[in-house]
Amino acid sequence: MISDLRYAVRMLLKAPAFALIAIAALALGIGANTAIFSVVEAVLLRPLPYPQSDRLVLLRERMRIFESGSVSYLNFLDWRAAQHTFTDLALYRRDSANLSAPGGGAAPERVNAGVMTWNTVRVLGLKPILGRDFAEKEDVPGGPKVTMISASLWQRRFGGSPKAIGQQIVVDTVPREIVGVLPNEMQLMRTAQVFISLGDLRKDKNILQRDNHPGFSALGRLKDGTTLAQAKAELDTIARSLTSRYPETNSGRSINARPLLDATVGDYRQSLNLLLAAVGCVLLIACANVANLQLARALSRGKELAVRAAMGASRWRLMRLLLVESTLLGLVGGAAGLLIAVWSIDAIHALSPQHVLRFQQTRLDVFTLVFATIIALLCGILAGVWPAWRVSRLAALAGDLNEAGSRGGSESTGRQRARSALVVTQVALALILLAGAGLTVKSFWRSQNAPLGFEPKGILAMTLSLPQARYNSSDKRRAFFAQMLERVQAVPGVELAAIGENIPFDDNEWDSSFHLTGTPPSEHGREPSAEINVVSQDYFKLMKMPLLRGRNFTAEDKPHQPHAVIIDESFARRYFPNQNPVGRHLDDNQNEDDNPVPLTIIGVVPRVRTDAPGDEFDRQALPQEYLFASQVVSSDNNLLVRAAVADPAMLAPAIVRAVQSVDPDQPVAAIATMEENIGDSLATRRLTMTLLGSFAALALILASVGLYGVMALTVTQRTREFGIRLALGAPRENVFRLALGRGLALVGIGMSLGFLGAIGAGRALTSLLYNVGSLDPVALLTALIALAVVTFLACWFPARRATRVDPIVALRYE
């Protein structure tokens, strides 16, 4: 074997052009596969960083509209009390908090936070790296004010000092004692840096309403010996019991239980599997390319192999000689492919959703390197086994030896068919990838250009949250926002300023059931729902949303008067067909007062898109209600600014100063333009489109190179035939058509097979597409034309060379 390896190195060094082309083709295929596999391994295959993470189950509420909705606090209490299949259940939600140091000093900042029951970390199976976990007595109304912090915050704020335990930090103006530091593996609430217990929320009037679902998720750990199916059966029984006990709030609701890993990465599984299939096609094309090169090279060494056979070499000995050479090519190509994978991963990080940690944790680890090595070996064997088997037949080799003194002839029909089959395969796979890429490009283009209902250009958005401890009344919150808007409006370069809760593309959803006043009540569990927005007076003007009917909110809509509401045109069409909805009424279910006065519809505005086109919430197409921020005052709001300058981000520092001139301890976070927020919502689709388009282009290049190589070799082998034809008077146009026809025939067969494959690929892509059919004629025709043009050129140049054959030279050709 060592001798064969040395011989293979010498032979490859004697044919550097062949070696470089083969290594480049394999490097591209292996590099692309390694990069995508590293993403798949990080996102889909790598277990969650918790002990026995496969036993962790996420529980959400399933309802008529949403497959996975947030959990009612009271329902959670009943679940926990009735279940027997989990060791325990915990409740948590992602949140944010204003963080500062006691006595001031460091500038206040807004950080991601986690609100959770005292047992959440225990259910996960984690332990603090410093200090302790929450105690049950701390998770009660009026309990001790404590907090745990993340390892990253511990390093940043306290330099990793053990003395951090027992110190205080101010969370939403409330001093809290640090009792523990959680490891970086605590990723349940994404990038949360501060963790507080449910505590005082347990007595909040809104939380204690069974029909309120304030963003909670439940987490359970299955008992040993218990299956997920058993747990689901028990949860179904619990859900039916709650429906019978509380039909007004629980009708039509069940419990959705999914493994935590599946719930975490399920939205990306199909896209990544698609990309993995795509790079698999690229790898097959690369292997077919190298196999054709190997076959041609092996044929050129026919007499050498024949001499070896005549001297007693067995068929396996000859095959091994060629397989060692192709395997060496595979390993060198794999090493070069690793460099391509490293560069690709950097690009994938930039294109991936920034809020999904598992994408950002993609790296070349030992597992990925083992995968790359195996793929390199398989590619070497796959690219070499067919040529080795074809040229090592002893009968054929004996014929080659007998032809040592002859002029030789054309290649055998079997060998031509082998190379032709490889070319057809390449063309078919390339068409499948091009068609799939065309569908995703068109889908992304339509997503980017879907009507929004507002003008995003020139808008700067940011979030701020008023701490309940300081702003504990509606009047205080109202006064802060009014003064803040006045000062922000005065900043040079600010055209308009407004606040809004649940604004477009803010990564939040707020929907609520509603009832048309004076109409019969809906069946329990089938109440209509609308998306709720709370906005200030200039919001519609800032968003450039015209009033279609009625009027805007005004100063006359005072806080303690009956509340006004503006609805969107989809609401008006669906519930007030052929009527003027202005002046009609909706029951006010957002008011905590007893028997509140119904909402009065005062206007109608265009429908706006609030989430990425085609996302689950967007597909619901819920009608929209707008409440007035002066009447429904929230602690959490988005500040929106329409800038009079070209780059709205330039105003951010001045706007932050204006906000903090009202309250120096009030941080501002998530500063971004509206266009950036829209772009972030399309990150997964952008990643899929970019990578699939890149793989399709790579497949097209490799397939055309492979076709060119076969055609060039065919022309070379038929040189004498073409010379004889020309010597006998055949027009050069006929020779051109003869040479071109074979290549075009292969392309035609490959396109026919690829067309069938493209139909199947389109159906597989259906769920990932927006406003594009699986058999989109434009995308498919574009792929066919692109492939036809490139493959025609790959056939045209060798065919043109055939017409330039000198008959005298050809007839003397040995």
Side-chain angles (χ1 to χ4, degrees):
M1 186 65 72
I2 294 176
S3 174
D4 289 347
L5 183 61
R6 290 174 179 168
Y7 182 74
V9 171
R10 289 199 303 271
M11 293 303 294
L12 290 177
L13 290 176
K14 288 181 178 179
F18 160 77
L20 287 175
I21 293 173
I23 289 171
L26 290 175
L28 290 171
I30 296 171
N33 272 267
T34 302
I36 295 302
F37 177 79
S38 64
V39 178
V40 170
E41 189 270 333
V43 178
L44 302 183
L45 303 181
R46 190 179 300 168
L48 293 170
Y50 312 118
Q52 294 184 303
S53 60
D54 59 315
R55 309 294 293 169
L56 293 172
V57 179
L58 180 73
L59 307 180
R60 302 272 287 176
E61 291 198 34
R62 181 188 291 114
M63 60 202 82
R64 179 175 57 87
I65 299 177
F66 297 110
E67 180 71 16
S68 178
S70 62
V71 177
S72 161
Y73 172 68
L74 294 184
N75 281 347
F76 163 76
L77 294 181
D78 289 332
W79 296 355
R80 188 177 182 221
Q83 67 83 24
H84 300 286
T85 53
F86 297 95
T87 58
D88 202 355
L89 294 184
L91 192 70
Y92 70 93
R93 76 177 180 194
R94 289 189 292 117
D95 214 322
S96 56
N98 299 334
L99 187 65
S100 58
E109 61 177 319
R110 187 158 178 79
V111 298
N112 292 328
V115 179
M116 57 192 188
T117 51
W118 66 276
N119 61 341
T120 302
V121 177
R122 289 177 174 82
V123 172
L124 286 172
L126 291 178
K127 292 182 179 180
I129 57 176
L130 188 68
R132 62 174 178 83
D133 195 358
F134 290 138
E136 188 171 5
K137 65 181 180 180
E138 295 167 339
D139 190 14
V140 295
K145 306 302 180 186
V146 297
T147 185
M148 289 189 288
I149 61 175
S150 68
S152 60
L153 182 64
W154 176 49
Q155 292 290 340
R156 180 163 57 86
R157 281 256 178 174
F158 302 96
S161 171
K163 294 181 180 179
I165 302 300
Q167 293 191 39
Q168 287 192 334
I169 55 174
V170 179
V171 182
D172 287 334
T173 72
V174 177
R176 292 180 177 271
E177 179 187 351
I178 300 173
V179 297
V181 177
L182 290 176
N184 289 325
E185 287 75 15
M186 180 59 172
Q187 299 171 4
L188 185 65
M189 288 156 274
R190 291 186 183 169
T191 55
Q193 299 185 63
V194 174
F195 304 88
I196 58 177
S197 64
L198 230 54
D200 291 337
L201 282 179
R202 293 180 183 268
K203 65 178 181 181
D204 187 287
K205 183 178 179 181
N206 287 327
I207 299 294
L208 295 178
Q209 293 177 354
R210 191 174 290 272
D211 61 348
N212 188 24
H213 298 78
F216 285 124
S217 298
L219 178 72
R221 179 177 285 276
L222 291 169
K223 290 181 178 178
D224 292 339
T226 302
T227 65
L228 181 59
Q230 292 172 324
K232 286 182 176 180
E234 180 185 61
L235 293 171
D236 288 342
T237 302
I238 294 172
R240 287 193 294 269
S241 173
L242 293 178
T243 298
S244 63
R245 290 163 57 190
Y246 309 105
E248 292 187 358
T249 58
N250 282 59
S251 293
R253 290 185 176 271
S254 58
I255 305 173
N256 182 351
R258 300 170 64 190
L260 183 59
L261 176 60
D262 185 54
T264 303
V265 302
D267 292 342
Y268 311 103
R269 187 178 300 280
Q270 191 169 4
S271 296
L272 291 178
N273 286 338
L274 167 69
L275 292 175
L276 197 59
V279 292
C281 290
V282 172
L283 188 62
L284 288 176
I285 293 173
C287 289
N289 227 332
V290 176
N292 253 332
L293 290 172
Q294 281 282 76
L295 185 58
R297 177 169 164 75
L299 290 173
S300 67
R301 296 166 59 187
K303 292 182 174 57
E304 172 207 337
L305 297 176
V307 171
R308 289 178 177 271
M311 295 178 66
S314 66
R315 186 174 188 183
W316 163 240
R317 181 69 182 82
L318 297 176
M319 287 183 66
R320 193 180 77 182
L321 190 69
L322 298 176
L323 282 175
V324 168
E325 185 175 312
S326 64
T327 303
L328 180 61
L329 286 173
L331 290 174
V332 176
L338 286 177
L339 297 177
I340 296 175
V342 171
W343 298 330
S344 301
I345 288 174
D346 291 338
I348 290 171
H349 283 165
L351 292 168
S352 299
Q354 298 300 309
H355 63 274
V356 184
L357 288 175
R358 292 173 76 88
F359 273 105
Q360 304 308 317
Q361 292 169 349
T362 301
R363 62 184 184 276
L364 290 182
D365 55 14
V366 174
F367 193 36
T368 309
L369 292 176
V370 170
F371 170 83
T373 303
I374 293 174
I375 288 294
L377 288 171
L378 289 177
C379 285
I381 295 172
L382 186 62
V385 68
W386 178 253
W389 183 79
R390 294 293 301 176
V391 302
S392 63
R393 290 180 303 166
L394 298 179
L397 291 173
D400 287 340
L401 189 60
N402 291 332
E403 292 173 358
S406 72
R407 296 180 181 271
S410 297
E411 185 188 2
S412 71
T413 303
R415 290 172 181 174
Q416 291 181 12
R417 287 176 180 172
R419 290 209 310 274
S420 298
L422 292 175
V423 170
V424 167
T425 301
Q426 292 180 73
V427 172
L429 291 175
L431 181 58
I432 292 172
L433 286 179
L434 284 169
L439 290 174
T440 57
V441 168
K442 189 171 182 178
S443 172
F444 182 78
W445 184 86
R446 289 194 169 176
S447 298
Q448 266 196 323
N449 293 277
L452 299 175
F454 67 96
E455 175 51 62
K457 188 174 182 179
I459 296 178
L460 185 67
M462 55 199 76
T463 65
L464 58 160
S465 179
L466 304 183
Q468 183 68 26
R470 178 175 297 177
Y471 298 92
N472 54 5
S473 70
S474 296
D475 289 337
K476 290 182 180 180
R477 295 191 291 271
R478 189 180 295 112
F480 172 86
F481 286 122
Q483 191 176 0
M484 179 200 71
L485 286 176
E486 181 181 348
R487 298 195 182 183
V488 171
Q489 185 73 60
V491 172
V494 172
E495 182 179 326
L496 282 172
I499 57 172
E501 186 176 11
N502 193 33
I503 65 170
F505 301 96
D506 66 348
D507 198 28
N508 288 301
E509 289 86 29
W510 179 9
D511 65 281
S512 177
S513 61
F514 65 90
H515 176 246
L516 305 181
T517 304
T519 63
S522 303
E523 177 187 347
H524 292 319
R526 304 191 67 82
E527 297 88 351
S529 291
E531 192 172 357
I532 307 298
N533 310 268
V534 181
V535 301
S536 62
Q537 183 175 343
D538 287 334
Y539 177 83
F540 300 114
K541 187 177 180 182
L542 184 148
M543 301 287 281
K544 296 188 177 182
M545 296 168 56
L547 274 167
L548 305 178
R549 287 185 181 179
R551 66 173 178 85
N552 192 5
F553 298 118
T554 68
E556 299 302 317
D557 299 307
K558 298 186 183 298
H560 303 294
Q561 290 182 348
H563 292 180
V565 63
I566 294 175
I567 61 174
D568 78 328
E569 55 187 332
S570 70
F571 195 121
R573 282 197 305 266
R574 192 178 308 178
Y575 297 101
F576 301 101
N578 302 317
Q579 304 175 51
N580 185 0
V582 176
R584 303 292 291 270
H585 299 283
L586 306 176
D587 289 354
D588 189 356
N589 59 0
Q590 304 300 321
N591 198 322
E592 298 180 10
D593 297 339
D594 295 330
N595 301 316
V597 177
L599 301 166
T600 300
I601 299 175
I602 64 169
V604 179
V605 294
R607 172 172 180 76
V608 300
R609 193 178 301 279
T610 59
D611 289 89
D615 281 2
E616 180 186 6
F617 199 81
D618 180 70
R619 289 196 299 268
Q620 300 300 328
L622 297 180
Q624 296 164 345
E625 298 179 20
Y626 294 89
L627 303 176
F628 193 24
S630 293
Q631 295 181 326
V632 181
V633 189
S634 173
S635 297
D636 300 316
N637 261 308
N638 297 276
L639 172 60
L640 297 171
V641 169
R642 179 165 288 282
V645 296
D647 183 8
M650 294 172 55
L651 301 177
I655 292 172
V656 172
R657 287 194 296 270
V659 173
Q660 294 181 341
S661 70
V662 182
D663 183 349
D665 295 327
Q666 179 60 50
V668 179
I671 301 175
T673 65
M674 183 64 74
E675 290 177 305
E676 288 173 338
N677 288 340
I678 294 172
D680 288 344
S681 73
L682 297 172
T684 303
R685 291 186 185 178
R686 185 185 300 105
L687 175 67
T688 304
M689 177 203 69
T690 304
L691 293 180
L692 192 57
S694 301
F695 298 151
L698 182 57
L700 182 60
I701 293 171
L702 290 175
S704 60
V705 169
L707 179 61
Y708 175 85
V710 168
M711 288 298 298
L713 179 63
T714 301
V715 168
T716 299
Q717 291 176 334
R718 298 177 68 184
T719 298
R720 289 188 69 242
E721 174 194 342
F722 292 146
I724 292 172
R725 289 179 181 273
L726 291 171
L728 293 176
R732 293 187 182 273
E733 293 78 7
N734 290 357
V735 173
F736 178 80
R737 284 196 296 270
L738 183 65
L740 185 66
R742 174 174 171 78
L744 294 183
L746 296 179
V747 171
I749 296 172
M751 282 188 168
S752 300
L753 296 176
F755 181 82
L756 298 177
I759 294 175
R763 291 177 178 174
L765 282 167
T766 300
S767 62
L768 300 175
L769 301 177
Y770 170 73
N771 203 20
V772 176
S774 60
L775 283 177
D776 185 78
V778 175
L780 193 54
L781 184 61
T782 302
L784 286 168
I785 292 174
L787 184 60
V789 169
V790 173
T791 52
F792 176 79
L793 292 175
C795 296
W796 185 81
F797 284 105
R800 184 167 173 268
R801 195 177 68 184
T803 64
R804 297 183 175 183
V805 171
D806 186 337
I808 301 300
V809 175
L811 292 174
R812 290 177 178 174
Y813 175 73
E814 186 68 37

